Amino acid sequence: MAAGLPPALDRPHFIGIGGAGMSGIARILAQRGASVAGSDAKDSATAASLRALGATVHIGHDAAHLAEDTSAVVVSSAIRADNPELVRARERGIPVVHRSDALAALMAGTRPLAIAGTHGKTTTTSMLAVSLTTLGLDPSYAIGGDLDAPGSNAHHGTGEIFVAEADESDRSFHTYAPEVAVVLNVELDHHANYASIEEIYESFETFVGKIVPGGTLVISADHEGARELTRRVRDRADLRVLTYGSAEDADVRVHKVTPRGLTSEVTVSLNGKLLTFTVSVPGSHYAHNAVAALVAGVSLGVPLHNLASALRSYTGVKRRLQLKGEAAGVQVVDSYAHHPTEMAADLEAMRGAVEGRILVVFQPHLFSRTQELGKEMGQALALADSSLVLDIYPAREDPIEGVTSELIIAAGRAAGADVSPLHAKDEVAEAVAGMAKPGDLVLTMGAGDVTDLGPAVLDRLAAGPHHPEQ
């Protein structure tokens, strides 16, 4: 077994190895010397980056892909029980390890810092990973998105800090035992796994309960769900709680966020002193993520002013307000936002960064989320000047009778939004070209394959106006 590897993970097979969370763990294991293999539904740049590290990546799922010497099969909650590779693993008695357990094993012997919350996790985790790397601390990290290239979502570092995105969607964040935990917000989401907001509170309480004795919880003072969680856990004797935000009672108070084009200048007070620093992404939402990252890093002993300066080196994550390009005077930006709060935050950030109109191409993600939050999604789209709403991206779910994009469209129109349905993705580029004018910004938004539409929109804009035959 390669040095430093957890037992049973020296020859792992990942089902769905191309996924954001799975590929990161596979990458760290490969960097530690494991003989990594896996499969995915389709080839990708992520798969290619893993092959470059020596991993074997099969395309398609087949029981024959499991090697004779496979030590464990790693799965996420998205893998169905009838997956042929999973079925074969159980038949052969090969240990089946959940993704979160594999990540927890990799954290052993480090100083773990886990970032949780209904939204903002990837951005905040990335801010910390980039900043700590800039300071030469070489942290290990596992992020739910790529920084600027395939494979940049994870790294096996030589430093003592391990920064990890902690996923609440399937309760897998209960596996971790962080020295510092961040909770950005607590809201009702992931309706397939949580029946009520009370269940979500209980789940986050369990996560906070996993913080090591003497550890620190960094938590928002602005979000009501986070404030409720603080009330529930604050009396724990062996836990230090630090709140941050614009609220007057925040331990680290955000006094001002000043837009500077596609950057923001943030002024905070902590320990009785004012500090102003720059964040290289727009909007108040991302500025508060940066403050959470700052407080978390300082809680691990990173010098305050060094970390504040290093935060400027973070320039974004793929799909988190990622500029895809510009054509005909129109910028095209991609957003992973799929929860109403995220949607509103990104639209407000873009409103402060551009002078023209904001045109949205929105793809709802999951039938269950649309059923529960479709009204709020429609209301969020009222912050745009005009929106096209695609059909629901199902991901792992089966359709729910009566749940379609029309729920969002109706709610949007009731809120005064200019919103229209568009069922065919191959018509998006032409539709946008007929709407956009120089100075406008087009925002492709959603957690599904809407991200693939940006290049087509840019190509169509670059081709110029359509001139029908005379």
Side-chain angles (χ1 to χ4, degrees):
M1 183 170 68
L5 283 176
L9 289 178
D10 57 336
R11 298 180 309 281
H13 179 95
F14 288 76
I15 304 177
I17 196 170
M22 296 284 273
S23 63
I25 298 167
R27 169 169 289 272
I28 294 173
L29 282 168
Q31 290 172 337
R32 287 195 183 186
S35 178
V36 174
S39 63
D40 208 59
K42 60 182 180 180
D43 212 346
S44 63
T46 297
S49 72
L50 289 170
R51 291 191 188 103
L53 285 174
T56 300
V57 180
H58 304 279
I59 304 306
H61 298 294
D62 191 312
H65 292 158
L66 264 67
E68 287 298 320
D69 62 349
T70 296
S71 59
V73 168
V74 183
V75 299
S76 71
S77 299
I79 303 303
R80 296 181 182 245
D82 60 357
N83 180 283
E85 295 169 19
L86 180 56
V87 171
R88 178 61 59 85
R90 296 194 186 284
E91 290 174 350
R92 289 174 48 187
I94 299 173
V96 176
V97 178
H98 191 273
R99 172 188 62 81
S100 59
D101 291 310
L103 180 55
L106 292 175
M107 291 182 191
T110 71
R111 300 182 69 192
L113 195 165
I115 294 90
T118 315
H119 41 84
K121 295 184 292 292
T122 298
T123 297
T124 309
T125 308
S126 301
M127 286 176 168
L128 275 162
V130 170
S131 301
L132 296 176
T133 299
T134 298
L135 292 174
L137 298 177
D138 195 21
S140 296
Y141 56 82
I143 309 170
D146 284 326
L147 294 173
D148 55 13
S152 61
N153 61 332
H155 171 68
H156 168 54
T158 58
E160 61 179 359
I161 299 174
F162 197 125
V163 184
E165 183 171 334
D167 184 11
E168 81 285 349
S169 67
D170 57 0
R171 297 178 172 83
S172 60
F173 66 161
H174 297 169
T175 310
Y176 314 133
E179 180 176 337
V180 175
V182 177
V183 174
L184 301 165
N185 37 65
V186 180
E187 295 186 27
L188 182 59
D189 197 6
H190 314 297
H191 304 88
N193 293 320
Y194 294 102
S196 66
I197 187 65
E198 182 59 32
E199 284 192 11
I200 289 184
Y201 284 137
E202 291 172 359
S203 187
F204 272 90
E205 283 186 78
T206 299
F207 170 65
V208 172
K210 300 291 184 178
I211 299 172
V212 299
T216 302
L217 170 65
V218 176
I219 187 165
S220 171
D222 295 338
H223 292 269
E224 181 51 41
R227 291 181 71 90
E228 171 61 23
L229 180 62
T230 300
R231 286 191 283 269
R232 295 181 180 216
V233 304
R234 188 147 221 168
D235 291 338
R236 182 177 143 184
D238 58 354
L239 178 68
R240 181 189 186 203
V241 178
L242 288 174
T243 62
Y244 71 92
S246 301
E248 291 186 4
D249 61 350
D251 296 317
V252 179
R253 189 176 177 193
V254 180
H255 291 275
K256 184 167 60 174
V257 177
T258 306
R260 305 288 187 199
L262 290 177
T263 71
S264 299
E265 189 176 84
V266 189
T267 299
V268 300
S269 60
L270 65 168
N271 300 326
K273 297 180 180 179
L274 285 178
L275 170 71
T276 298
F277 63 100
T278 298
V279 182
S280 298
V281 285
S284 178
H285 176 76
Y286 293 98
H288 280 72
N289 288 163
V291 174
L294 180 73
V295 179
V298 170
S299 297
L300 278 178
V302 182
L304 170 64
H305 289 279
N306 292 358
L307 185 55
S309 177
L311 277 166
R312 187 166 191 164
S313 59
Y314 168 81
T315 57
V317 183
K318 283 188 175 181
R319 305 230 52 214
R320 272 65 175 186
L321 295 185
Q322 178 190 9
L323 179 63
K324 304 294 283 191
E326 182 174 339
V330 178
Q331 290 182 310
V332 177
V333 172
D334 190 35
S335 164
Y336 187 72
H338 51 280
H339 184 282
T341 303
E342 298 168 337
M343 295 166 64
D346 279 5
L347 287 166
E348 288 169 351
M350 290 294 91
R351 181 66 69 194
V354 299
E355 295 182 359
R357 298 177 303 158
I358 298 175
L359 311 177
V360 173
V361 179
F362 177 59
Q363 182 187 52
H365 186 260
L366 298 181
F367 294 100
S368 60
R369 183 177 286 120
T370 303
Q371 182 179 44
E372 296 295 329
L373 297 174
K375 178 180 178 181
E376 290 81 0
M377 292 177 189
Q379 291 169 341
L381 291 177
L383 296 170
D385 293 287
S386 187
S387 300
L388 299 173
V389 179
L390 303 174
D391 292 338
I392 296 170
Y393 185 81
R396 58 192 176 271
E397 289 188 344
D398 295 323
I400 298 173
E401 185 176 354
V403 177
T404 70
S405 295
E406 289 298 326
L407 295 174
I408 298 167
I409 293 165
R413 288 174 175 168
D418 176 9
V419 55
S420 304
L422 188 61
H423 301 294
K425 289 197 294 290
D426 59 3
E427 296 177 2
V428 166
E430 190 67 33
V432 170
M435 298 164 60
K437 300 175 182 178
D440 289 347
L441 181 139
V442 176
L443 193 62
T444 56
M445 178 178 281
D449 58 8
V450 67
T451 184
D452 299 334
L453 300 180
V457 170
L458 286 166
D459 289 346
R460 180 61 190 85
L461 289 168
H466 176 58
H467 296 290
E469 295 184 5
Q470 300 297 322

